[in-house]
Amino acid sequence: MEKQEVLSAYGIEDGIISDRPYGTGHINDTFVIEYMHGEGSRKKILLQKMNHKVFKRPEAVMENIQNVTAYIREQAIKRGGDPRRETLNIILTENGKPYCRDLTGGYWRAYDFIEGATAYDRVEDPECFYQSAIVFGNFQRLLSEYPVENLNETIADFHNTAKRLEMLKKVVAEDPCGRASGVQEEIDFAIEREKEAHVLTEMAERGELPVRVTHNDTKLNNVMIDDTTGKGLCVVDLDTVMPGLSVYDFGDSIRFGASTAAEDEQDLSKVSCDMILFEIYTRGYLEGCAGKLTKKEIEMMPMGAKLMTFECGIRFLIDYLQGDVYFKIHRENHNLERCRTQFRLVADMENKWEIMNRIVKKYAK
Ligand code: ADP
Ligand code: MG
Ligand code: MG
């Protein structure tokens, strides 16, 4: 019922051929609608109910997406590319709005469906990971001149490792579930790295790292890969686009994509940062950025990987201490296990620090 009302806001009243849930995203409710559009032609759209709990200001989110996609589209057109496949394209409602609301207050939006492309869940093939790196690098390159001050900061302090650590200390002190004494080792691991937690944010404050348009959810599953050519097409899932540091975007891809184990692996001996995958991603990312990153940004890429992983571990630890209120858990200690894989990765990166820096240097041209 709700959806019918939304579809009619887009002028789709009848002629619907199919309507099905789509994709494996964890945030929004995603559907693909196929319908008859004019004389005998079919059209597919991606309809999403936005997650209002995570995104408290859906209007601000949509404003960012509108601005960024318009900017990328313009460049694709100038270059003679295909704007329908090189960026998300928002479909406006009949009232000319980038989203619509249902009777319960929910926010919905629609995009042109990108045909003949797939977003993969896991790194099954290094080539695919490489393609995703190029696409995220391209995203940085295409937006390198974008006036970043025009973007809304839709989630405050999204990647501020130092603030996360402060939060951890506070939660440890309060210890609302009496769990702190059981995880002293993890707490110590975090506190021992307090100085480093500040490194990137302080560099940004001193103007040594530029504030850029960042994606903030740079996983493989948010990249469309062309089914025919196997080449990366574009980045999707622009909900968390906001001002930030490029090295955190790079770092999150590494954290997730270059790990040899799942985020919640219980056997920590299986967890490490794969240097072959690290190299593949670094090469693709810098290729995609095509000289748009500063020397300092490139130099800090390993730090981005490490701090992003560290930050993530802290977030899991906080949630464990708070009684698992943010991340969904599927078993007891799930968040603690997730924290442990992240911290294991951090330790592994510390062991491989020289190698990581050497790899980055090799492609830093
Ligand atoms: P979530 O925030 O829940 O992850 P996404 O915006 O990433 O939602 O969408 C979920 C999935 O839908 C993506 O992983 C991708 O497979 C697919 N998808 C997203 N946008 C499009 C699009 N415009 N065309 C085709 N598929 C898309
Ligand atoms: Mg997604
Ligand atoms: Mg998302």
Side-chain angles (χ1 to χ4, degrees):
M1 192 56 217
E2 196 178 55
K3 212 187 299 143
Q4 232 169 46
E5 167 202 339
V6 170
L7 286 170
S8 70
Y10 286 95
I12 305 168
E13 304 276 1
D14 41 36
I16 295 172
I17 300 163
S18 63
D19 171 353
R20 56 191 173 95
Y22 192 76
T24 53
H26 295 305
I27 304 294
N28 301 296
D29 296 330
T30 305
F31 306 89
V32 173
I33 318 282
E34 191 174 8
Y35 63 102
M36 295 308 291
H37 180 64
E39 287 291 299
S41 71
R42 293 163 166 233
K43 191 174 157 78
K44 254 193 206 171
I45 64 167
L46 192 102
L47 186 71
Q48 278 182 328
K49 182 173 188 183
M50 294 173 72
N51 186 328
H52 200 161
K53 264 205 200 127
V54 175
F55 303 106
K56 306 272 192 261
R57 297 163 56 209
E59 292 93 347
V61 167
M62 290 315 291
E63 192 177 280
N64 282 353
I65 299 180
Q66 234 178 344
N67 285 333
V68 162
T69 54
Y71 192 87
I72 297 177
R73 183 161 49 252
E74 226 168 85
Q75 294 190 59
I77 293 167
K78 264 191 220 151
R79 245 195 40 250
D82 181 353
R84 287 166 312 168
R85 303 193 86 213
E86 290 177 28
T87 174
L88 280 178
N89 286 286
I90 299 174
I91 302 171
L92 300 179
T93 65
E94 295 222 295
N95 294 332
K97 284 196 149 192
Y99 57 85
C100 80
R101 303 198 64 180
D102 61 31
L103 287 173
T104 65
Y107 284 76
W108 294 74
R109 59 164 172 229
Y111 295 115
D112 287 333
F113 185 83
I114 300 168
E115 299 277 2
T118 304
Y120 294 93
D121 280 332
R122 264 181 306 277
V123 179
E124 270 153 22
D125 165 10
E127 174 62 20
C128 186
F129 193 44
Y130 172 63
Q131 289 300 323
S132 79
I134 295 184
V135 169
F136 280 117
N138 278 334
F139 182 76
Q140 208 43 260
R141 172 178 57 81
L142 290 166
L143 294 164
S144 63
E145 320 283 321
Y146 184 91
V148 69
E149 63 281 1
N150 286 354
L151 287 181
N152 304 306
E153 189 179 0
T154 46
I155 305 176
D157 289 318
F158 195 48
H159 288 314
N160 187 326
T161 316
K163 281 219 171 129
R164 297 273 187 198
L165 194 59
E166 283 311 307
M167 177 74 185
L168 173 66
K169 286 194 203 160
K170 201 169 143 243
V171 175
V172 168
E174 288 165 2
D175 196 15
C177 302
R179 289 179 169 180
S181 61
V183 292
Q184 198 54 49
E185 205 180 315
E186 285 73 23
I187 296 169
D188 290 344
F189 184 94
I191 306 289
E192 277 160 22
R193 285 156 183 80
E194 175 151 24
K195 251 204 189 125
E196 285 199 308
H198 294 262
V199 168
L200 294 172
T201 35
E202 284 183 3
M203 285 178 81
E205 275 160 28
R206 290 195 299 267
E208 291 169 24
L209 290 175
V211 175
R212 301 225 184 237
V213 181
T214 48
H215 183 278
N216 292 306
D217 193 8
T218 51
K219 43 175 190 275
L220 192 64
N221 185 247
N222 287 328
V223 172
M224 304 304 296
I225 309 269
D226 191 306
D227 292 335
T228 315
T229 63
K231 300 265 184 246
L233 267 182
C234 69
V235 168
V236 295
D237 200 349
L238 302 176
D239 287 327
T240 44
V241 163
M242 58 185 130
L245 300 178
S246 64
V247 289
Y248 275 124
D249 264 5
F250 170 80
D252 208 17
S253 302
I254 296 300
R255 177 189 80 77
F256 197 80
S259 170
T260 52
E263 196 172 68
D264 59 357
E265 174 59 57
Q266 288 168 296
D267 179 357
L268 289 181
S269 70
K270 290 186 181 159
V271 182
S272 69
C273 183
D274 185 323
M275 285 300 106
I276 296 177
L277 291 174
F278 180 80
E279 177 155 0
I280 287 173
Y281 196 90
T282 300
R283 178 163 63 90
Y285 188 71
L286 287 174
E287 215 174 291
C289 286
K292 295 293 185 186
L293 295 186
T294 67
K295 242 174 131 177
K296 257 283 173 309
E297 277 178 299
I298 296 174
E299 191 188 313
M300 297 316 280
M301 280 163 64
M303 189 56 94
K306 180 174 153 181
L307 283 194
M308 191 63 233
T309 311
F310 182 49
E311 184 179 307
C312 217
I314 293 174
R315 291 180 66 191
F316 289 136
L317 186 55
I318 290 176
D319 204 34
Y320 173 75
L321 291 169
Q322 286 184 324
D324 312 303
V325 288
Y326 186 84
F327 299 106
K328 273 189 210 142
I329 57 165
H330 305 299
R331 54 179 185 252
E332 215 187 326
N333 295 337
H334 207 166
N335 275 318
L336 178 59
E337 287 161 8
R338 288 169 175 145
C339 158
R340 286 179 174 150
T341 63
Q342 300 306 294
F343 285 178
R344 174 56 72 103
L345 269 180
V346 169
D348 190 51
M349 288 180 195
E350 288 172 348
N351 287 332
K352 294 171 176 167
W353 201 239
E354 297 299 318
I355 308 173
M356 288 169 77
N357 280 288
R358 216 179 309 134
I359 290 171
V360 166
K361 233 184 215 148
K362 183 168 152 193
Y363 297 100
K365 268 169 209 104

